[in-house]
Amino acid sequence: MAETIDTTPETRHTRSTADGTGERIDLPITGMTCASCANRIERTLQKAPGVRRAGVNLATSRATIEYDPSSTGVRQLMDTVQETGYGTAGTARADFVVDDSARPSGSSRPLEDHLGRQRGVVTTSFNLSTMQVHVEYLVGATDVAALRRAIESFGYVVREVPAGGGDAAAEGSEQAARREEFVALRRRLVVAIVLSLPIAVIGMSHGRIHFPGVHWVELLLATPVILYSGGQFYRGAWAAFRHRAADMNTLIALGTGVAYLYSIAATAVPRLLAGAPGSGMAGMGSGHPAGPPDYYEAASLIIALILVGRLLEARAKGQTNDAIRRLLGLQAKTARVVRNGEERDIPVEEVVPGDVVLVRPGEKIPVDGRVVDGHSTVDESMLTGESLPVEKTAGSDVFGATMNRTGAFR
């Protein structure tokens, strides 16, 4: 007896939309810190030309986009995200050396245009003098083998695929981007803490630590904290302002920016602010009793404390992403399907709604679906925690990455 799994129409995949008229990609995004960030990216993507539907998941830092490939492409979608003030990751580069003996190359443009129409391709370049083709692509949307087939289908012979690029390097590209973001955040936090502590000591002394030029020393210490450690907040606030929106970056930038600019004025031209309300009040910033207070310690400490929260959040998100990645690693890499009366093994990403998937004993079930023929027991402990296998007959639902157990299955 054999088990046949018919993928249901609800089953989603990463190659095209359910109706087959559009394409769907998962785009890794960096720089998101709150739900407001995810909502703004989602709204901006939904307004982009050619986008049918967009959703942004803050926990996984990914945007799932359904779009019309005739109206837009991966490069345009990535540019849209970057114009909103955030970054993208997950791209890799594949290099090929081609032989044009079968198709003379008078121009590089036809092959570049052909590759540019392939799903997941970001940019392409074809150097006629060296006969090298360079392709930047989105990992998970396509791979080196698919790109090679696209080149060969256009009439070229691929002589060599130089080492150092492709899927081997692509697997860690997104992780490297996340790690780089974490390291940069930690570096900014270290700078903020080291420079903010002396300012805090001076500011909280309430005049007991006072010497000529003390305000200029505070300004010298606070400036790197504001411009370097807090620069991301001001860039984020400006990006939000350009899109007529406000988020947490706006609050941070306004609070620390106003405090910093007022403190510069109080340091450079104290006479102009000597009569301002609050000047000379005890407990209001650091300053001599006869002059206006400054708020360097408030601005720098706010940035330092927020960076602590951002660093803890980035670490937690990184651990979550690693757990999800390990879970996805349990999925089968290929599926055996019946097409035109023939059995063939294909990448699991190429399974489409309506395909009949065949599962043998001891194999992982590659996709979610429904059993239409056969009988089996399936180990679903990775989903439910139940140690006993679950019996499956015609009409039963099965789930990807679970293990087929007994019987001779097709």
Side-chain angles (χ1 to χ4, degrees), residues 176-356:
R178 306 288 182 197
R179 186 164 52 250
E180 182 180 349
E181 183 181 8
F182 180 83
V183 171
L185 194 60
R186 184 175 59 190
R187 185 166 53 246
R188 292 189 178 96
L189 175 60
V190 170
V191 171
I193 291 176
V194 169
L195 297 181
S196 296
L197 285 178
I199 304 174
V201 171
I202 295 173
M204 299 303 174
S205 68
H206 302 293
R208 288 189 292 271
I209 300 178
H210 185 76
F211 53 87
V214 63
H215 304 298
W216 294 101
V217 172
E218 290 181 293
L219 173 60
L220 183 64
L221 293 172
T223 298
V225 178
I226 298 297
L227 299 183
Y228 174 69
S229 298
Q232 57 180 324
F233 304 128
Y234 299 101
R235 289 191 294 270
W238 174 246
F241 176 76
R242 288 192 295 110
H243 290 85
R244 298 188 297 278
D247 57 12
M248 192 169 68
N249 290 322
T250 307
L251 297 176
I252 299 170
L254 282 175
T256 59
V258 170
Y260 178 69
L261 294 176
Y262 176 87
S263 299
I264 291 178
T267 300
V269 285
R271 293 183 180 181
L272 294 180
L273 302 177
S279 63
M281 291 177 61
M284 296 293 291
S286 61
H288 51 79
D294 61 55
Y295 298 95
Y296 293 118
E297 84 284 355
S300 58
L301 284 176
I302 286 174
I303 288 177
L305 291 174
I306 292 175
L307 286 176
V308 171
R310 291 278 177 95
L311 189 69
L312 294 175
E313 180 186 14
R315 186 176 66 175
K317 287 172 62 178
Q319 293 171 346
T320 301
N321 288 333
D322 289 341
I324 294 174
R325 191 176 297 110
R326 288 194 296 269
L327 183 61
L328 292 176
L330 299 175
Q331 185 181 19
K333 305 302 181 184
T334 61
R336 185 174 296 103
V337 302
V338 177
R339 290 180 177 175
N340 299 323
E342 296 181 358
E343 297 183 12
R344 63 179 67 178
D345 290 335
I346 62 173
V348 69
E349 294 86 358
E350 294 183 4
V351 178
V352 298
D355 272 343
V356 175

Side-chain angles (χ1 to χ4, degrees), residues 384-397:
T384 65
E386 174 59 55
S387 60
L388 295 177
V390 179
E391 187 175 0
K392 301 292 182 180
T393 58
S396 300
D397 292 331

Side-chain angles (χ1 to χ4, degrees), residues 20-42:
T21 61
E23 292 186 353
R24 175 177 176 265
I25 62 166
D26 292 328
L27 185 63
I29 298 178
T30 60
M32 290 194 300
T33 58
C34 60
S36 177
C37 300
N39 290 336
R40 186 163 72 251
I41 296 173
E42 186 174 308

Side-chain angles (χ1 to χ4, degrees), residues 61 92 94 113 122 164 174 216 221 345:
S61 298
D113 290 344
V122 181
E174 183 181 350
W216 294 101
L221 293 172
D345 290 335

Side-chain angles (χ1 to χ4, degrees), residues 116-194:
R117 290 190 293 269
Q118 304 302 311
R119 184 183 183 279
V121 172
V122 181
T123 59
T124 63
S125 69
F126 181 19
N127 191 321
L128 290 175
S129 60
T130 62
M131 299 306 296
Q132 288 191 348
V133 180
H134 307 292
V135 185
E136 182 184 5
Y137 65 96
L138 187 64
V139 180
T142 188
D143 53 30
V144 175
L147 295 173
R148 178 170 186 157
R149 289 194 298 269
I151 295 174
E152 292 174 341
S153 69
F154 200 63
Y156 290 89
V157 176
V158 179
R159 292 203 315 256
E160 180 183 358
V161 181
D167 291 351
E171 291 180 356
S173 61
E174 183 181 350
Q175 295 92 311
R178 306 288 182 197
R179 186 164 52 250
E180 182 180 349
E181 183 181 8
F182 180 83
V183 171
L185 194 60
R186 184 175 59 190
R187 185 166 53 246
R188 292 189 178 96
L189 175 60
V190 170
V191 171
I193 291 176
V194 169

